[in-house]
Amino acid sequence: MGALGQLLLWLQICAPARAAYKFWVPTTHFEAAANWSQNRTPCAGAAVEFPADKLLPLDGELVLASGAGFSAADTSLDADCGAGAPALFRDPDRFWWHDPLLWRSGDSASGLFSVDAERVPCRHDDVVFPPDAAFRVGLGPGARPVRVRSVSALGQTFTRDEDLAAFLASRAGRLRFHGPGALRVGPAACADPSGCVCGTAEAQPWICAALLQPRGGRCPPAACLDALRPVGQCCDLCGAIVTLTHGAAFDLERYRARLLRAFLALPQYQGLRVAISKVARTPRSREAAAPEEAATEIQVVLAEDAAAAGGGGRLARAIVEDAVEHGEALGVLAATVRTSGAPAGGGSAAGLAGPGPRAGLAGGVTAALLLLLLALALLLALLRRAGRLRWRRRAEAAPAAPLGFHNPAFPAAGAQAQVRAGRPRGRGGEGRGSPLTLRPAQPPAGPPSPAPRAAAGSASRSYFVNPLFAGDEAEA
C-alpha cells in the first residue's frame, strides 16, 4: 500500500462522523506534463529551461524521485529531441489556494457538484496535501486568514494553530506555502445534522477571480434565458433553485441521499447535477420568513446541460411536491422554487411550447382577448356618457366580500399549504425566475366563521362567498 493509500485508510479510521475532506490536486513534479510549456515531459537530449528566479533560490531545493538523477547527455541520443524550442518548466507559483479547479472533494458522487465557493476548503473541512509529492500553494492576498479544521502535509496532521504556525515558518513550510495570506486551523467539525455554512463568502471575489482568470475574468454566456445565479456561484447557470426552510429535524446528509436515490437515479433526470448545502438566508428570504425562523436555509441547485433543458424545472416541482407530502418527517417547513427560462437562441425546452402551430394559436388567442378588452372599455365609456351606467359612491357600496373562502373539502389545517408567487427583487445571487413559495398554513387566530347555510333541498355541502357578486345574493 502506498503512502496515499495509508493516509486514506488512516483518515477513514480516525475521521469523525461528519468530516469533509478537500484534497489538493496539482504537484510540481518533473514528470507531470502539465508543468511544461509544451504539455509533455522533455525527452532524452532535449534542452530544458527552469525559471531563473524560481528554481534555486538561496534556500531552494530540487526534489527527485528515488533513484532519479540529472545528467548532461549527448543530443544524438534522440535526434527528434534536439530540434525545436527548449522545454520550459512553468512557474510553480501559479497555483493558488482560492482556485476551485485545484481541489477535489473526498465525498464526491455521480450527479453531485458543489457551487464554486464551496469547492475550495470550507472552515469545517480537513485539508489533505499529497504526502509523497512536491507542491507549492499561494495563500492569497492576506486580507483575512484562511480557516480550516485541519491540515495534513508531509506526513503530519496539524490541528492546533501553534503547531501549524511553526511548520509554516520552517524551511519545509516556506518552500510549500507562500504569499501574504495566513492559514489557521482549529474549528471543531460540523456537529449540526442540518449542515454548516461553508464560511468562504468573504473570499468569493478571490475565488471567482482565480476561476475566471483563464477566461479573462468573464463568465461564459448561459445557454438559456433568465439564467440563475445560486449563492456561492460565480456565473449564471440554467436549471432551477429550490430553497428549503428547515426545522430541527432536518438532516442534510440524509436528505442528499434521498434526492440521489429517489430522483437522480430516474431516467427522466439524467443529465442533471445537484448541489445541496446550507447557506446564509438571503435578504429576499428574510423578508418572506417569519421572525422566529433561522438565519440559514438549504439551497438545492439543479444544473442542467443542453440535453436536459427543462429537466431542472420538472425535478424542482417534484422536490417541492415531495416536501409538501413528507415535510414533517424530513424537517422541511417551506420550499421556494426559481427556474430559468427557455434555451437561448430560439430553442424549446421540454415542457415549454416551442414555435409552430401551437405558438401561433396562443398568439391569436392573446390578440383576440386584447381586442375584446378594448371593445369592453369603449362600451363602458359610451354607456357612462349616455347616463345609462352610474357609479355608486364608496359609502353607498356594499361591504367588500372576503378575499378568499373556507374550503370544507380540506378541513385539516395541517394538510393545507399557503402558496405565494411573485417576481424576485434584484439580480445578484437571487436568480431571475418567478419564485413559488409553499408553506404550511398557519391556524386561524380565532374560531372560524360559520359557513353560510345551503338552500333547502340542496344536495351539495360545498359553498363559499363569491367575491364577484357582493351582496346578500352572493351565496352559492
Side-chain angles (χ1 to χ4, degrees):
M1 181 182 296
L4 180 58
Q6 294 176 354
L7 177 62
L8 292 176
L9 179 61
W10 178 86
L11 291 174
Q12 293 174 358
I13 296 174
C14 303
R18 293 184 178 271
Y21 296 95
K22 298 290 174 59
F23 295 88
W24 179 257
V25 175
T27 69
T28 54
H29 277 183
F30 184 94
E31 292 85 1
N35 287 331
W36 295 95
S37 58
Q38 301 172 354
N39 285 323
R40 61 179 177 86
T41 55
C43 52
V48 175
E49 291 184 6
F50 294 96
D53 58 339
K54 300 294 183 182
L55 177 61
L56 294 175
L58 295 179
D59 60 347
E61 64 181 5
L62 190 62
V63 181
L64 303 177
S66 177
F70 276 110
S71 63
D74 189 350
T75 57
S76 61
L77 293 177
D78 190 338
D80 295 334
C81 280
L88 177 64
F89 192 82
R90 300 179 66 188
D91 185 2
D93 289 349
R94 69 186 186 277
F95 303 119
W96 291 94
W97 179 286
H98 292 111
D99 190 344
L101 297 176
L102 305 182
W103 295 96
R104 177 175 60 85
S105 177
D107 58 354
S108 58
S110 177
L112 293 179
F113 77 102
S114 298
V115 293
D116 297 326
E118 297 175 9
R119 294 165 66 183
V120 302
C122 299
R123 60 179 178 175
H124 297 285
D125 288 347
D126 296 300
V127 176
V128 180
F129 291 95
D132 56 350
F135 62 89
R136 189 159 171 82
V137 186
L139 292 178
R144 290 183 178 273
V146 174
R147 296 189 177 275
V148 293
R149 179 177 180 266
S150 70
V151 173
S152 298
L154 302 183
Q156 304 179 70
T157 299
F158 304 97
T159 58
R160 299 194 312 163
D161 252 347
E162 51 268 32
D163 296 336
L164 178 61
F167 168 73
L168 295 176
S170 67
R171 179 175 178 272
R174 293 196 308 270
L175 288 174
R176 287 159 179 84
F177 297 90
H178 67 95
L183 182 59
R184 300 284 186 268
V185 293
C190 179
D192 189 345
S194 67
C196 295
V197 176
C198 181
T200 57
E202 294 181 347
Q204 185 165 342
W206 305 103
I207 294 172
C208 294
L211 179 67
L212 299 177
Q213 190 272 335
R215 295 180 173 271
R218 296 182 178 181
C219 288
C224 60
L225 303 176
D226 296 327
L228 306 170
R229 184 168 301 184
V231 175
Q233 190 74 3
C234 295
C235 298
D236 294 345
L237 53 78
C238 302
I241 301 174
V242 180
T243 303
L244 304 176
T245 302
H246 61 90
F250 184 81
D251 188 300
L252 183 64
E253 296 300 330
R254 186 178 64 180
Y255 190 75
R256 180 185 285 115
R258 178 184 182 87
L259 293 188
L260 286 174
R261 180 182 66 256
F263 296 101
L264 287 182
L266 300 179
Q268 60 265 36
Y269 299 130
Q270 296 302 308
L272 294 176
R273 297 181 302 132
V274 179
I276 311 171
S277 61
K278 177 184 283 189
V279 298
R281 188 177 294 279
T282 61
R284 171 195 54 79
S285 300
R286 290 194 188 100
E287 293 174 3
E292 66 274 9
E293 291 180 350
T296 58
E297 58 193 9
I298 305 301
Q299 177 177 259
V300 182
V301 183
L302 309 174
E304 59 188 30
D305 55 20
R314 292 193 299 272
L315 179 53
R317 290 188 289 271
I319 291 175
V320 171
E321 292 173 0
D322 180 65
V324 171
E325 183 177 358
H326 304 287
E328 183 177 358
L330 297 174
V332 176
L333 306 179
T336 300
V337 177
R338 286 174 286 150
T339 60
S340 60
S348 61
L352 299 176
R358 184 175 299 180
L361 177 61
V365 171
T366 302
L369 288 175
L370 291 176
L371 291 175
L372 179 61
L373 291 175
L374 180 60
L376 181 60
L378 292 175
L379 178 61
L380 291 175
L382 292 175
L383 290 175
R384 185 182 181 187
R385 177 169 296 186
R388 297 185 179 182
L389 182 64
R390 297 181 180 179
W391 302 100
R392 288 193 296 177
R393 296 180 180 179
R394 179 171 301 183
E396 301 174 356
L403 299 180
F405 61 88
H406 173 73
N407 191 338
F410 300 92
Q416 299 175 6
Q418 181 181 13
V419 180
R420 299 196 304 271
R423 299 295 300 178
R425 301 179 181 178
R427 182 173 177 177
E430 299 183 15
R432 296 185 295 282
S434 292
L436 177 64
T437 303
L438 287 92
R439 180 185 304 275
Q442 301 297 326
S449 302
R453 291 179 297 177
S458 174
S460 173
R461 295 189 178 272
S462 296
Y463 28 69
F464 58 92
V465 177
N466 192 332
L468 296 179
F469 301 96
D472 296 333
E473 57 275 309
E475 300 179 1

